[in-house]
């Protein structure tokens, strides 16, 4: 599937050389395919402790040797870069749909060079600025529909154009007395890409919460 998909994308790129937005989206898709291939390769081979923790996350067995004890917040900081599996793809970013009140626009989503914010901007190189969402203000990533994925109707229930399994919600870290809210509602081209970015962004948020000193350089 990966090989066929890459061939189709590169063919599309060669047919539309002058179209910047399409080229950016195609490049993001190629990078996502490469990242998924790397993840599969790592899953089938012996990995170091940091990569193992990155895959298993918070509910993994303790990496210090007690197979019956689960890792708790603040425990068992990885020796390797906590973001080793996802750092490259988070830096380059991906073309995704950002939803607001049931309508979408294509945006490039990536992590800022200082590793302090998630940036969302139009894919055109002519546009230099975009929205900044500070990582410390993000509480968690959830798969599925958020309010902004939904289009309200005067004659029935709200509905969403994007499939729930291709959608992600970026939730705020609520202050005392407040409830979490959607900072971002995104959708991706397919479930594999949505799952990959769910894991990447979840790991980013986890690293920010537990080992913020490791965000920029690992």
């Amino acid at each position: 599937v990966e090989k066929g998909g890459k061939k189709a994308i590169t063919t599309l790129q060669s047919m539309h050389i002058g179209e910047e937005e399409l080229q950016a989206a195609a490049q993001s898709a190629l990078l996502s395919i490469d990242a998924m291939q790397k993840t599969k390769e790592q899953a089938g081979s012996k990995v170091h402790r940091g990569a193992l923790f990155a895959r298993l996350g918070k509910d993994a067995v303790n990496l210090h040797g007690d197979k019956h004890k689960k890792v708790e917040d603040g425990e068992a900081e990885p020796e390797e870069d906590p973001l080793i599996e996802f750092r490259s793809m988070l830096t380059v970013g991906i073309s995704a749909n950002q939803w607001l009140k049931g309508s979408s626009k294509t945006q490039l989503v990536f992590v800022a060079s200082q590793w302090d914010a998630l940036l969302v901007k139009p894919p055109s190189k002519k546009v230099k600025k975009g929205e900044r969402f500070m990582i410390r203000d993000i509480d968690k990533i959830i798969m599925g529909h958020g309010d902004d994925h939904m289009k309200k109707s005067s004659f029935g229930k709200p509905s969403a154009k994007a499939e729930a399994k291709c959608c992600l919600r970026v939730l705020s870290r609520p202050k005392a007395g407040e409830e979490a809210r959607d900072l971002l509602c995104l959708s991706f081209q397919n479930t594999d890409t949505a799952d990959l970015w769910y894991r990447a962004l979840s790991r980013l948020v986890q690293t920010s919460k537990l080992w913020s000193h490791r965000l920029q350089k690992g």
Side-chain angles (χ1 to χ4, degrees):
V1 175
E2 287 90 348
K3 291 181 180 179
K6 292 179 73 171
K7 184 177 180 180
I9 292 170
T10 53
T11 300
L12 187 65
Q13 283 182 304
S14 65
M15 294 171 60
H16 301 272
I17 295 176
E19 299 183 29
E20 290 186 1
E21 290 190 9
L22 187 146
Q23 292 291 332
Q27 187 61 31
S28 292
L30 287 172
L31 288 166
S32 293
I33 290 174
D34 288 340
M36 283 188 284
Q37 286 178 322
K38 182 179 179 182
T39 300
K40 289 178 180 178
E41 289 171 1
Q42 289 177 331
S45 62
K46 184 177 179 181
V47 295
H48 48 64
R49 295 169 64 194
L52 176 63
F53 187 81
R55 260 202 303 281
L56 299 179
K58 178 181 174 180
D59 292 328
V61 296
N62 186 286
L63 298 180
H64 290 302
D66 184 352
K67 65 181 180 180
H68 299 295
K69 183 179 179 181
K70 289 188 175 181
V71 177
E72 303 295 337
D73 287 354
E75 186 179 352
E77 180 176 343
E79 294 179 359
E80 300 289 343
D81 179 3
L83 291 167
I84 192 168
E85 289 187 85
F86 307 113
R87 190 171 291 279
S88 294
M89 58 178 281
L90 287 169
T91 301
V92 175
I94 190 170
S95 179
N97 287 325
Q98 179 185 11
W99 294 83
L100 184 64
K101 296 181 179 179
S103 297
S104 69
K105 56 183 177 180
T106 302
Q107 299 278 60
L108 185 63
V109 182
F110 60 102
V111 173
S113 59
Q114 296 299 315
W115 287 84
D116 60 348
L118 191 64
L119 303 183
V120 178
K121 65 176 286 294
S124 174
K125 293 182 179 179
K126 296 179 181 179
V127 181
K128 302 298 182 182
K129 295 183 179 181
E131 294 181 84
R132 294 176 64 91
F133 300 90
M134 302 306 292
I135 298 171
R136 65 172 179 268
D137 294 333
I138 299 174
D139 185 49
K140 56 186 173 181
I141 312 298
I142 295 178
M143 297 196 77
H145 289 143
D147 287 343
D148 277 326
H149 285 114
M150 312 302 289
K151 184 79 171 180
K152 293 183 178 179
S153 172
S154 302
F155 305 101
K157 295 181 179 180
S159 60
K161 292 182 179 179
E163 293 186 65
K165 58 187 178 182
C166 294
C167 294
L168 295 184
R169 300 167 59 196
V170 179
L171 267 66
S172 67
R173 188 180 299 187
K175 297 179 181 179
E178 296 181 354
E179 293 185 359
R181 61 184 180 83
D182 287 337
L183 295 174
L184 269 174
C185 286
L186 302 171
S187 68
F188 300 86
Q189 290 185 343
N190 54 59
T191 55
D192 286 343
T193 304
D195 179 67
L196 178 64
W197 277 83
Y198 166 76
R199 292 188 291 112
L201 294 175
S202 294
R203 185 60 171 172
L204 178 68
V205 172
Q206 183 191 44
T207 302
S208 174
K209 287 182 176 181
L210 302 184
W211 318 294
S212 59
H213 59 287
R214 305 285 295 278
L215 274 175
Q216 188 168 6
K217 297 182 179 180

